Amino acid sequence: MSKFLIKGAVAVAMLAAGPALAEFPLEDKVTLVVPYSAGGGFDTIARIFAPAVEVALGTTVVPDNIPGASGTRGGQAVSRADADGYTIGIYNIPGLNVAEILGRELGFDLSSVTWIANLAQSKYGIAVVADSPIQTVQDLCNLDHSIKLSDTGTNSTSSITAVIAFNIMGCSIVNVTGYSGSNDTMIAVMRGEVDATLKPISSLAKYIESGDLRLIATLTEETVVEGVQNAADLGYPELAQFGLSRVIGGPADMPAEIVATLSAAFQIAAASEEVMAWAESTGTELNWLNAEDTTAMMAEISEFYLQYEDLLK
Amino acid sequence: MIKANSEYVPYSVRSIYPALAILALAAAVYFWSQSFGEVARRLPALVALTLFVLALMDLWTRTKLPGSELMRAFWGADFTRREMTHNPALKTELGLMAWIGGCFVGMALFGILPTMPLFCVLFTRIRSRRPLKQALIVGLIVLGFETFVFELMLDYELYRGLLFADGGLSNW
Amino acid sequence: MGFDALFSAGYEIVAGGSFLYLLAGVLLGLCFGVIPGLGGTTALALLIPVTYNMDPLAAMYLAGGVMGATSFGGSITAILLNTPGTAPNAATTFDGYPLAQQGKAGLAIGASAAASALGGLIGLFTLLLFIPLAKQIVLSFGPSEFFLLTVLGLTAIAVSVRGKLLRGLIAGCVGLIFAFVGADAISGELRFTGGVGYLWDGIPLVPTLTGMFAISQMIELALKGGSVADAEATPGSMKVTGVWAGVKSVFTHWPVLLRGSFIGTIIGAIPGLGGTVASFLAYSSTVQTDKDPDSYGKGNIKGVIAPEAANNAKDGGSLIPTIAFGIPGSAETALFLGILVLHGIDPGPAILLYHEREIYGLIVALTLSAVGASLLGLLLSRYLILITKVDVGVVVPVVVAISLTGVYVLDGRMADVILTLVMGVIGYLMIRFDYPRLTLVIALVLGETAEKSLHQVQLISDNQVLAYMFDRPISVILIVATVLTFLLPMVRQVMARRKMSPM
């Protein structure tokens, strides 16, 4: 998507937001549902954004943790709320899309969620232990055994990405799942239990900086680190489609003005000093998208993963 | 701690029924686990089988079959160090659970803040037969604690009850 | 270098305004630790929104105060009401509660407070010595060691439930079955959920712990009537005695204290499960090396000192993974790291390099808090112990009401309250029919890790599980320790019988 298009969309959203700002957030507080317990990644980004959105919106924004049932209980709570903009939520994408494709009962219809904004997106990278003889993905595929990778859960986004990505590249893998967090999966690489791991670049970065791990490829369109292969270098540009997104959405059929107001408020928040400074210090890749682009992105993501339905099951 | 009546072990505790109940549980878990995939069923099936064998041992120690004496000694399966030495009547047991069940129903319908102090007052007055004044003091302490710590200090909204909260059962 | 940072962190607390936050944290932690159903995790989860507007260091001292104080708070109820606040506190019930029943709660609380404080200090100093090796320590524990550790933990508990080996093993198996409920960690397949969405993420620990211990114990007490402490043992008095004798007993039994602290620091350093296994291992090893193992479980003060020392020493050890890689070593440290992220500090392998101030601040806060909580506990013990002398008709409704509220507060779910009640009934049936509840709960704590690490070892070793384990020195040590823990009591039993039987 071109930068010009995004700028245009922002301008439209701002124009639409202008008059609506006066009427939508009247007295009530806005509840931002976080489908996980306090202290996790989704909770943190919600709590970082909340005060900045509060300023932009002129009303209180309260993050509300509704954990349970693998993050679907929070989504259910949002889908049941009135579509008046006072209850919105943050969604784990593509985790929920994949769960839906796998036939899990989410308890709400992902396609009827009103998408408001995309906050952040992480792309994936593949890393090996720093002193490993493996230099490229090709070396990894040429090992005398199936590539052993470490991951959290079988249905986690990174694990799904690993299964699909290495299938596209035609390499066979054994995904050792069950590690309790993405940090643990990287430590498993350092311990030498597994050959490599595929994780969001921002998570890998800490361990690459500290000299424990070495990046061998990034699933991105452009080169992120000099000398490290990107998706095009690998010969499979479609690999750049993988990513982990933190998306804001609301109940079905929210009025367009309210969506525009909220979306604009998140945009202002994303550009605010506090949020930018926080993102900088924690390596979070902010990537604000307006409602229209977020909706388009969601459709693309669903379609993309649907192609690999058989592989996932 | 050990009273004169602690040597007496009620029939229901010594009987074979607890062991039979566990035997049934083990069998049910084993057959249920057979419906899972290969990796997912491995350990549940193994543990269910182990439980089945252990429950059989338990059953054995509770009978007068040959060897049961030896089994009891080997596994330490006698009842000499019981945690609960009194033997309440079933009616009393059910009555107490009804009290706690009632507390839950009140909590579900009217919310935590009114129910908990009321439960304490009623329980202390009616079941424990303490003076009304004492019961009221206990209720006030509980009300004060829950309001101060959760609602005021930590700014946490305690459950308001099905009658007063939006969303009904689906919010549980 | 470590000590410099330590002193400046200590100076900052005393000289700056941070001391007040630390004190507030200690009070809150002690309060939440004492109340059944609430605990360190609930306290920290509730604090996250509150700390948002604070200065990062103040937030950290508040959280550190809470973390250091809850474990002693949990021991108080373990002693007074047979209701451990968290899983690591459970080992204290073996001898602590019998003492309370005999009217010697003062002795137990005194010993527990002194052992906690000293154990905390010993844990801290061992931690400081090991900081340079932190990375190697974390890297030497893989899935193979985790699996063997859970086996060691379960063995230590099975032999600790003295005289109830068979029914203890049965309860342990049921606990493992409970642990299998929910999505399988390896394949993601849903198991034993019966279509209930609540069970997808497994049977949650806090409601289970609260139901199994607090609710079921209250049912038992209410049916028994009277008060916790035997009226005959303490005729007609409301006096509390023995607190100082308890404190002194820790110094008389210093080898027990040292062994407990040592086990706590070493085992506590293993991320995730260290704490629970440590306190049980400290208890079982104390029993096995004692001349008179039969005196335990009936109110032997050494049976309180060992797990209590291990319990607070482990807080130092559980920071090792955090120091090495910025990863949490316990549920509480996970929430603590969440607070750091909220304040723009990104925990990672370089955390000690870039955030030395925060890490040493936490170490100091934890230590001061453990000592502070013990002192506070001693001061308040007089009033706390009265609980054992009050008519249970008053204690029962209050504990039921507060613990059900606490369970609701954890995640704001009424379903948790239902689970608590179900577990309360199961727990009561277990007391009634003499099946130990402890093995069930601990098996639930360890079960998931046991299963997933075994499967991981299978995948990593291409199904050569045993060969892989015997190739790793630490795994071999753990195997030997497990065999010893299991065999020692049997050997002793056989020897004792040989002595007793007529020639």
Side-chain angles (χ1 to χ4, degrees), chain B residues 17-145:
Chain B
Y17 300 110
L20 285 180
I22 290 164
L23 214 55
L25 173 78
V29 170
Y30 181 78
F31 287 113
W32 195 351
S33 67
Q34 294 309 304
S35 63
F36 307 141
E38 209 249 316
V39 173
R41 79 160 166 248
R42 200 178 295 152
L43 258 90
L46 186 72
V47 171
L49 282 179
T50 316
L51 181 60
F52 193 84
V53 174
L54 289 171
L56 278 180
M57 299 280 182
D58 194 13
L59 195 61
W60 191 1
T61 63
R62 287 162 188 271
T63 59
K64 292 197 172 89
L65 289 174
S68 64
E69 193 68 38
L70 194 74
M71 289 305 283
R72 261 199 294 281
F74 178 74
W75 288 109
D78 50 11
F79 293 95
T80 47
R81 277 185 184 223
R82 286 168 63 225
E83 221 177 317
M84 178 171 163
T85 46
H86 52 108
N87 185 25
L90 184 65
K91 222 173 101 188
T92 333
E93 287 177 307
L94 291 179
L96 184 69
M97 301 213 185
W99 268 100
I100 295 176
C103 173
F104 173 73
V105 172
M107 194 174 166
L109 288 179
F110 309 110
I112 291 175
L113 271 184
T115 304
M116 290 314 183
L118 191 69
F119 167 74
C120 290
V121 172
L122 292 177
F123 191 99
T124 316
R125 180 72 195 99
I126 299 172
R127 193 178 182 286
S128 317
R129 299 205 183 88
R130 310 288 296 190
L132 183 65
K133 205 173 137 196
Q134 208 175 350
L136 286 176
I137 292 173
V138 170
L140 272 178
I141 291 175
V142 170
L143 179 66
F145 175 82

Side-chain angles (χ1 to χ4, degrees), chain B residues 12 36-37 40 42 58 62 75-78 81 83-84 86-88 93 128 130 145-146 156 159, chain C residues 35 163-164 166-167 189 191 220 224 294 296 298 391 393 405 408-409 412 428 432-433 435 437 455 458:
Chain B
S12 62
F36 307 141
R42 200 178 295 152
D58 194 13
R62 287 162 188 271
W75 288 109
D78 50 11
R81 277 185 184 223
E83 221 177 317
M84 178 171 163
H86 52 108
N87 185 25
E93 287 177 307
S128 317
R130 310 288 296 190
F145 175 82
E146 303 216 325
Y156 187 92
Y159 190 57
Chain C
I35 294 165
K164 289 180 190 169
L166 177 63
R167 290 195 294 275
E189 194 177 337
R191 298 183 296 186
E220 193 259 351
K224 178 170 150 241
D294 275 328
Y296 286 85
K298 296 172 183 165
D391 187 329
T405 310
Y408 172 77
V409 167
Y428 171 69
R432 185 93 169 90
F433 294 101
Y435 289 85
R437 291 165 293 167
H455 281 148
Q458 267 176 329

Side-chain angles (χ1 to χ4, degrees), chain A residues 216-254:
Chain A
I216 56 166
T218 57
L219 305 187
T220 50
E221 278 168 33
E222 285 145 33
T223 304
V224 178
V225 181
E226 210 50 56
V228 174
Q229 294 170 299
N230 63 30
D233 299 334
L234 291 170
Y236 304 97
E238 66 266 39
L239 293 177
Q241 295 224 32
F242 292 104
L244 170 70
S245 303
R246 305 190 197 268
V247 183
I248 298 287
D253 306 321
M254 278 171 66

Side-chain angles (χ1 to χ4, degrees), chain A residues 90-165:
Chain A
I90 188 163
Y91 292 79
N92 170 5
I93 303 299
L96 291 167
N97 309 62
V98 171
E100 200 169 54
I101 291 169
L102 288 172
R104 284 276 175 91
E105 284 286 331
L106 297 186
F108 65 99
D109 186 1
L110 200 57
S111 62
S112 71
V113 174
T114 308
W115 299 111
I116 296 169
N118 183 47
L119 297 189
Q121 192 181 30
S122 323
K123 290 290 180 185
Y124 289 101
I126 301 170
V128 294
V129 68
D131 54 14
S132 161
I134 296 164
Q135 299 296 331
T136 60
V137 174
Q138 208 48 49
D139 292 348
L140 205 56
C141 290
N142 290 341
L143 287 173
D144 56 359
H145 55 260
S146 295
I147 309 163
K148 281 179 194 154
L149 296 170
S150 54
D151 231 309
T152 48
T154 315
N155 295 335
S156 69
T157 1
S158 57
S159 165
I160 287 158
T161 306
V163 170
I164 301 176

Side-chain angles (χ1 to χ4, degrees), chain C residues 437-454:
Chain C
R437 291 165 293 167
L438 274 178
T439 44
L440 187 151
V441 171
I442 304 303
L444 173 66
V445 175
L446 303 178
E448 195 197 332
T449 309
E451 184 185 27
K452 78 177 184 203
S453 15
L454 181 61

